[in-house]
Amino acid sequence: MTTTAHGADASQDEAGDERHGPPHVQLQVQTPRGLWSMTEPEEAPRRPDYPISTKIQVVIDDARTVFKFVENDSKYTLFLGGEMLAPERTLASYHIAPDALLVLSVQGGNA
Amino acid sequence: MSVPVSLSLETVRCELAAATAYAAAAGLELDASELSENTLQFHVVFWNMQRERFTAEFDCRDYSMYPPTIEFVDATRTLRGTPALYPAGFHGMPCVCARYNRKAYTERGGPHGDWRLVDWQLPTGNGVAIDSLAMILSDLHSKISQSAGRLG
């Protein structure tokens, strides 16, 4: 668990910023363009560090931003193991553990 | 026009790093143990929502000038290309009907005479361009994991 706010940059982390509110969880998200984690990619504008009340859709949107999946005519789905995560549910509802490895799958447009 | 085998092999090996990372995280089984200049192939096992197993063969001759030829095979990799080996949801030919599959093009008997092989990395519609082996695995993983049953 961590106290880092969603969207916080590295300088805030290093400053030991302390916040209140729901517990946070740090994740890893594997995408076909690479891994998103607390350290990768180096130039990522945000880190996968969320209050457990965060909806899955937010994680999907943030992973898309980090890896520049800007196309809206595609299907983006988050998986945990073999389970497809519903975008409207929260991280807490899936009991997602710290450092859990999620997978963002990306479908192209239809032929 | 064809691509030197050594160049295709180098390209595939390079791209397999990202594809392997994706496959491992997604619980797919990627087997590239036979990959060589003589056999420009690797295999990936996918599961549908009912946990039925599907093995896809990627023939990467002329990659990346041209897309791989993707075919579903049986567990022993001897029987190939029958509807029963395909997950539900794909073209009844049977075929993975996508720009990234060489089998989808008319030159291989596929339905798409309107696509050019050299354009295989272009996006379809306004979707994401499926332009690498990792992206191909992701597209197939997404489709198969959300499908139920077999094509035939």
Side-chain angles (χ1 to χ4, degrees), chain B residues 127-144:
Chain B
V128 174
I130 306 299
D131 55 4
S132 68
L133 295 176
M135 288 296 297
I136 293 171
L137 292 195
S138 177
D139 186 77
L140 288 171
H141 169 230
S142 180
K143 288 171 176 164
I144 296 170

Side-chain angles (χ1 to χ4, degrees), chain A residues 10 13-14 26-29 35-49 66-67 99:
Chain A
D13 289 86
E14 288 162 8
Q26 294 179 349
L27 308 171
Q28 300 179 83
V29 182
L35 179 69
W36 183 34
S37 71
M38 296 305 292
T39 55
E40 296 180 58
E42 196 173 319
E43 70 280 8
R46 61 191 67 178
R47 294 294 172 196
D49 183 341
V66 168
F67 288 99
D99 292 324

Side-chain angles (χ1 to χ4, degrees), chain A:
Chain A
M1 295 291 180
T2 175
T3 58
T4 307
H6 164 55
D9 63 23
S11 62
Q12 283 177 296
D13 289 86
E14 288 162 8
D17 185 22
E18 299 236 348
R19 276 144 297 173
H20 302 285
H24 283 230
V25 63
Q26 294 179 349
L27 308 171
Q28 300 179 83
V29 182
Q30 181 70 54
T31 83
R33 289 182 180 165
L35 179 69
W36 183 34
S37 71
M38 296 305 292
T39 55
E40 296 180 58
E42 196 173 319
E43 70 280 8
R46 61 191 67 178
R47 294 294 172 196
D49 183 341
Y50 295 98
I52 60 172
S53 57
T54 302
K55 291 193 172 177
I56 297 298
Q57 185 64 55
V58 173
V59 182
I60 292 173
D61 292 344
D62 288 350
R64 287 182 56 188
T65 298
V66 168
F67 288 99
K68 299 181 172 58
F69 287 113
V70 299
E71 298 85 352
N72 289 321
D73 191 17
S74 281
K75 185 172 186 177
Y76 303 91
T77 310
L78 208 57
F79 289 85
L80 174 61
E83 184 178 12
M84 186 169 55
L85 306 183
E88 69 276 10
R89 286 180 53 179
T90 64
L91 294 169
S93 75
Y94 287 105
H95 306 290
I96 291 177
D99 292 324
L101 177 59
L102 309 181
V103 176
L104 180 73
S105 73
V106 182
Q107 269 190 42
N110 289 318

